[in-house]
Amino acid sequence: MANIAVQRMQRELNEVAKFDESQKISVELVGSNLMHLRGRIAGPPDTPYEGGIFIIDIRIPETYPFNPPKMRFITKIWHPNISSVTGAICLDILKDQWAAAMTIRTVLLSLQALLAAAEPDDPQDAVVAKQYKENYDMFVLTARHWTSTYAYDADDSSRWVNLDFDTKIQNLCQLMGVDEQMARVALSSNNWDMNRATQSLL
């Protein structure tokens, strides 16, 4: 079975290598292991993820292509269907809707489409989904902030900056003695309300 998976992966990697760059997806080996890959997808235009590059860890099971690959986001992201903590993904084709005809490329394109069209009624991250449904404008600002923080190069001059968010993060770090990531999660989860974010860290 493992031989089938290896042959299939060699073919798929050749296809992705030839694939049109306009979709802004790519795949590379982690070391020399065909069963461990790293995918890259560009955030779709006209979304809070635009301009970001998101890295995805891809593990190929020995039973591939009869079973789906295991994927998770390495790049932190604020999205209803992706865990803001672990990067776990809620996408039907990675579970019970997988078909052997699908490829790593089609899954990466599906993930790109998921960034453009979230499914908040079938969430992986309930906190993000709640914000998406109840305070969409705040969700967009928060998702843009996470994208500019984690999915851009630090010296990229086109990075989006929200001075209000940055100030609140620094204040919460000093007040509660937590790191930036903990402060960002607390504020993001509480619609950037300092009092509620502080309470959540007590």
Side-chain angles (χ1 to χ4, degrees), residues 8-131:
R8 171 72 176 260
M9 285 314 306
Q10 286 171 329
R11 193 167 73 245
E12 283 196 38
L13 284 168
N14 290 335
E15 283 173 10
V16 174
K18 288 185 283 189
F19 188 53
D20 180 6
E21 260 300 298
S22 67
Q23 298 285 358
K24 304 227 170 121
I25 65 163
S26 65
V27 180
E28 61 188 24
L29 293 177
V30 175
S32 57
N33 185 355
L34 275 172
M35 311 305 269
H36 188 194
L37 311 170
R38 196 149 285 164
R40 291 162 60 94
I41 61 174
D46 303 319
T47 72
Y49 312 105
E50 182 173 9
I53 299 294
F54 298 88
I55 311 298
I56 295 143
D57 186 68
I58 305 168
R59 308 276 178 160
I60 308 298
E62 288 192 357
T63 51
Y64 187 81
F66 306 107
N67 292 101
K70 289 182 168 39
M71 294 191 179
R72 70 175 185 86
F73 273 70
I74 296 173
T75 307
K76 291 190 177 299
I77 185 169
W78 191 254
H79 187 285
N81 305 109
I82 302 157
S83 169
S84 58
V85 179
T86 65
I89 303 163
C90 182
L91 183 65
D92 55 4
I93 63 170
L94 289 175
K95 293 186 255 180
D96 54 351
Q97 296 301 308
W98 172 258
M102 292 175 181
T103 64
I104 300 302
R105 182 185 140 208
T106 57
V107 177
L108 291 176
L109 290 171
S110 295
L111 288 176
Q112 214 171 30
L114 186 67
L115 296 190
E119 303 269 354
D121 292 324
D122 185 23
Q124 177 71 41
D125 196 312
V127 172
V128 183
K130 184 173 190 288
Q131 186 184 68

Side-chain angles (χ1 to χ4, degrees), residues 107-156:
V107 177
L108 291 176
L109 290 171
S110 295
L111 288 176
Q112 214 171 30
L114 186 67
L115 296 190
E119 303 269 354
D121 292 324
D122 185 23
Q124 177 71 41
D125 196 312
V127 172
V128 183
K130 184 173 190 288
Q131 186 184 68
Y132 184 100
K133 290 166 81 166
E134 295 178 3
N135 194 342
Y136 183 75
D137 290 345
M138 183 59 74
F139 161 77
V140 169
L141 290 174
T142 305
R144 282 186 74 187
H145 172 75
W146 280 56
T147 300
S148 71
T149 301
Y150 298 114
Y152 272 74
D153 287 331
D155 56 356
D156 189 333

